[in-house]
Amino acid sequence: MRDTKTKGIWVWGTPVEIDVDGSKVSVLYLDTEGFESIGKSNVYDDRIFALAAVLSSVLVYNLPETIREADISRLSFAVELAEEFYGRVKGQDVAFEPAKLLWLIQRDFLQGKSVQQMVDEALQRVPNSNGDKYIDEVNQIRDSLAVMGDNSTAFSMPQPHLQRTKLCDMEDQELDPLYVERRDALKQLVASMIKPKLVQGRTLNGKEFVSFLGQILEALNKGEIPSTGSLVEVFNKGILERCLTLYTEKMERVSLPVSVDKLQQVHDLAEDEARKLFDKQHFGKHYAAQSFLNLDEEMKKVFRSFGLANEYQSSKLCEARFSECEDKMDHLQALKLPSMAKFNAVFLHCNQSFEMECVGPAKGGYEHRMSKMLARSSALFIREYNNKLFNWLVAFSLIMVVIGRFIIKLFLLEIAAWVMFIFLETYTRLFWSSDSLYYNPVWHIIVSSWETIVYSPVLDLDRWAIPIVIMLSFLAIYWRCIGIRSRIGRSLLPLYRGSYRSSSRARTD
């Protein structure tokens, strides 16, 4: 009838125990609702068929009279499973073993071709000169079913009785004897095909089988399996997770921050390896496209996450280098002994270290900030440099006057210091402004001498100024008070030019 009596899937309540290769196996018989029943959608049929195909170790495909194109298309899900599992390396773990397929064809005419010939002819490719997409898809299923070979068996059954409406009330002796004979042969055939259900490479006991059924039903009830094709997607989830884990592990090997091009290069390599792993392990050829799109979308999400992390790490690193250079520039503004050579050396080192260490997507923005900060610091230092140097030279000349006159009493040093002091003080009075001094060649000589004394790669006088002053003060006191001055000073600048022997006055300091 068109109005099916079986709703959903009926399970025979008492398992039938049989011996399979020396082991006792409990067999459960399932009866599924017929396809294309009144009031049911194709998606509903797909769910019923998908659940039966996953749970069964033998799938009896019951067809009336002949094989139609729709019957072949209906097997697309079973074909997906068979293609995958039969093409895998022996010993590799699989989600579950595909069911053996039994074509059961009931018909009234037994003359002519056998059912095996009928199945073989139905599985031959159909010419498709017009390039019909539907025919191509069905031909792919035909090829896959033909490749299954020993996994597919054909069996014929005559009609049990001409009065089909009374079948439910008839005993075996009322049925066609040939039908009863073929039915008993079918039982033996099914019993010979039965194998224990395998999931992840091992057989299931009763509790494990119920747990396996629960997982499938949970996926159905959550809407994760809207059709037979989507059931393949459910079992592809494990493969997707492994591929995504592989991709993530490859990406995590990168030490952030890196340049955008470098991150993109690592992403391309990791994506390529993940796709190769998916192509090697995924379930289903016709329904794997959606799984592949899901994998691609998940990898894009992970890549975006790494991109954001790279931007954060890049900003963090570049900000640290920028702050470090900014502090150095501020420190140069407060030099006790101004030195253009030192400023240029620190400026160059800071700029080079920033270029080498600041990497990643934030580098462009921080380079702009860095150039502005360095230009501002350079202009400020140059503006203050000449004024500070002028004041220091004036103070230095006065100090040399005092040292030359009262400490070491070196007349030439005192004269040179006075000349320098007078030049600095009078030059600025004779011209319009002190800025004109900075263009004088004599000033350039003074500046060069100052830079040579104050800073060199070996000795930074700004850092050692206080220790040097203390040491010189100690030497001066030692010279003055202990007597070294008298021995050295006599040979350099004798205090008395007259004859010491002819003098009747005692010599004093």
Side-chain angles (χ1 to χ4, degrees):
M1 300 179 182
R2 295 288 297 170
D3 184 13
T4 58
K5 300 301 180 182
T6 304
K7 304 298 181 182
I9 299 179
W10 288 10
V11 183
W12 188 256
T14 303
V16 178
E17 294 185 354
I18 64 174
D19 183 82
V20 178
D21 297 331
S23 299
K24 184 176 68 173
V25 177
S26 297
V27 181
L28 296 174
Y29 286 90
L30 312 179
D31 183 20
T32 67
E33 182 174 345
F35 293 142
E36 301 177 356
S37 60
I38 297 176
K40 300 296 173 62
S41 64
N42 291 335
V43 172
Y44 178 82
D45 290 344
D46 285 343
R47 290 184 180 182
I48 295 296
F49 183 77
L51 182 57
V54 172
L55 294 180
S56 300
S57 58
V58 177
L59 182 62
V60 182
Y61 198 27
N62 189 15
L63 301 175
E65 297 183 352
T66 187
I67 301 175
R68 300 169 299 172
E69 288 291 325
D71 299 326
I72 297 177
S73 300
R74 184 71 63 182
L75 290 174
S76 60
F77 175 69
V79 169
E80 292 286 351
L81 299 179
E83 283 181 337
E84 293 301 327
F85 295 121
Y86 275 83
R88 295 190 179 280
V89 180
K90 185 178 181 181
Q92 182 179 355
D93 287 342
V94 295
F96 55 88
E97 188 178 50
K100 292 181 179 297
L101 180 60
L102 174 60
W103 298 77
L104 178 59
I105 303 176
Q106 300 186 29
R107 60 177 182 168
D108 292 327
F109 52 95
L110 296 178
Q111 295 80 13
K113 300 177 181 178
S114 66
V115 291
Q116 190 63 53
Q117 290 176 326
M118 185 186 302
V119 170
D120 293 340
E121 291 179 0
L123 296 181
Q124 291 180 358
R125 292 180 62 87
V126 176
N128 186 19
S129 57
N130 296 328
D132 190 301
K133 182 178 179 181
Y134 173 77
I135 295 178
D136 283 339
E137 292 179 354
V138 177
N139 280 336
Q140 289 179 351
I141 298 174
R142 284 187 169 96
D143 294 340
S144 301
L145 287 172
V147 169
M148 290 173 64
D150 295 337
N151 200 50
S152 178
T153 304
F155 192 87
S156 64
M157 290 277 291
Q159 295 295 336
H161 199 275
L162 295 179
Q163 296 180 339
R164 300 181 183 180
T165 57
K166 298 181 180 181
L167 288 177
C168 295
D169 301 324
M170 292 182 177
E171 300 294 337
D172 279 2
Q173 57 270 19
E174 299 179 71
L175 300 177
D176 188 329
L178 181 58
Y179 171 80
V180 176
E181 179 184 347
R182 296 292 293 174
R183 186 192 63 186
D184 294 337
L186 176 62
K187 290 182 179 180
Q188 295 178 1
L189 177 61
V190 172
S192 66
M193 297 173 64
I194 290 175
K195 297 291 182 181
K197 187 64 179 179
L198 292 178
V199 176
Q200 297 297 342
R202 63 187 183 88
T203 58
L204 301 181
N205 58 27
K207 291 183 178 180
E208 291 171 339
F209 184 81
V210 171
S211 176
F212 176 66
L213 173 60
Q215 294 176 11
I216 302 302
L217 290 177
E218 182 179 2
L220 282 167
N221 293 331
K222 288 183 178 179
E224 296 179 358
I225 311 177
S227 65
T228 52
S230 294
L231 184 57
V232 178
E233 306 299 334
V234 173
F235 286 100
N236 273 337
K237 283 185 177 180
I239 292 97
L240 288 176
E241 291 177 359
R242 289 195 293 273
C243 295
L244 190 60
T245 300
L246 174 64
Y247 172 81
T248 305
E249 290 176 352
K250 296 291 184 181
M251 294 295 293
E252 287 177 347
R253 295 179 183 178
V254 181
S255 180
L256 300 179
V258 294
S259 64
V260 176
D261 293 338
K262 175 65 175 178
L263 188 65
Q264 182 66 43
Q265 182 181 5
V266 175
H267 161 73
D268 293 339
L269 293 176
E271 186 180 45
D272 184 61
E273 291 193 24
R275 287 177 174 176
K276 287 181 179 177
L277 179 63
F278 179 81
D279 291 337
K280 184 179 180 181
Q281 295 188 2
H282 74 269
F283 294 162
K285 294 181 179 179
H286 310 302
Y287 297 105
Q290 185 60 43
S291 296
F292 184 82
L293 293 177
N294 293 340
L295 174 62
D296 190 58
E297 184 64 28
E298 291 299 322
M299 287 192 295
K300 288 180 179 179
K301 290 180 181 178
V302 176
F303 179 65
R304 286 194 293 267
S305 177
F306 273 92
L308 294 175
N310 189 42
E311 290 181 3
Y312 171 76
Q313 294 295 337
S314 176
S315 299
K316 186 178 178 180
L317 178 62
C318 292
E319 179 66 29
R321 299 287 81 81
F322 175 82
S323 299
E324 181 180 333
C325 288
E326 192 174 35
D327 291 340
K328 289 182 178 180
M329 293 296 103
D330 292 341
H331 177 72
L332 291 174
Q333 304 299 334
L335 285 177
K336 296 184 290 293
L337 300 177
S339 172
M340 183 62 71
K342 182 177 182 179
F343 180 86
N344 291 334
V346 176
F347 182 97
L348 181 62
H349 178 267
C350 186
N351 199 21
Q352 289 178 344
S353 63
F354 178 83
E355 287 294 329
M356 293 177 59
E357 298 178 18
C358 177
V359 295
K363 184 174 183 178
Y366 275 91
E367 280 182 335
H368 181 65
R369 291 180 57 189
M370 187 73 175
S371 61
K372 291 180 62 177
M373 185 272 292
L374 293 178
R376 184 174 62 253
S377 299
S378 179
L380 181 61
F381 182 84
I382 293 174
R383 185 172 64 249
E384 298 294 330
Y385 172 76
N386 288 322
N387 294 330
K388 286 184 178 181
L389 180 57
F390 181 85
N391 295 332
W392 266 107
L393 289 175
V394 170
F396 176 76
S397 62
L398 293 176
I399 293 173
M400 290 297 101
V401 169
V402 174
I403 292 175
R405 183 174 182 82
F406 298 105
I407 298 179
I408 64 175
K409 294 187 176 180
L410 186 60
F411 183 70
L412 294 178
L413 178 62
E414 180 183 354
I415 293 299
W418 276 116
V419 171
M420 182 177 178
F421 176 78
I422 294 171
F423 172 79
L424 293 174
E425 287 296 322
T426 58
Y427 190 90
T428 57
R429 304 294 193 276
L430 297 177
F431 296 90
W432 291 103
S433 66
S434 59
D435 294 342
S436 61
L437 173 67
Y438 309 141
Y439 301 99
N440 192 292
V442 177
W443 175 255
H444 291 169
I445 297 174
I446 295 174
V447 170
S448 300
S449 302
W450 170 268
E451 291 290 345
T452 303
I453 296 172
V454 170
Y455 177 78
S456 70
V458 178
L459 178 64
D460 184 2
L461 194 60
D462 186 77
R463 179 179 300 178
W464 298 99
I466 296 178
I468 291 175
V469 169
I470 294 175
M471 183 181 298
L472 292 176
S473 300
F474 176 78
L475 291 176
I477 295 173
Y478 183 81
W479 181 303
R480 183 67 177 168
C481 301
I482 300 181
I484 296 180
R485 179 189 62 83
S486 62
R487 292 195 298 270
I488 300 178
R490 185 179 296 115
S491 62
L492 294 177
L493 289 174
L495 297 177
Y496 300 96
R497 297 191 179 275
S499 175
Y500 174 75
R501 295 172 181 266
S502 63
S503 177
S504 58
R505 182 175 60 84
R507 181 175 181 274
T508 65
D509 289 335

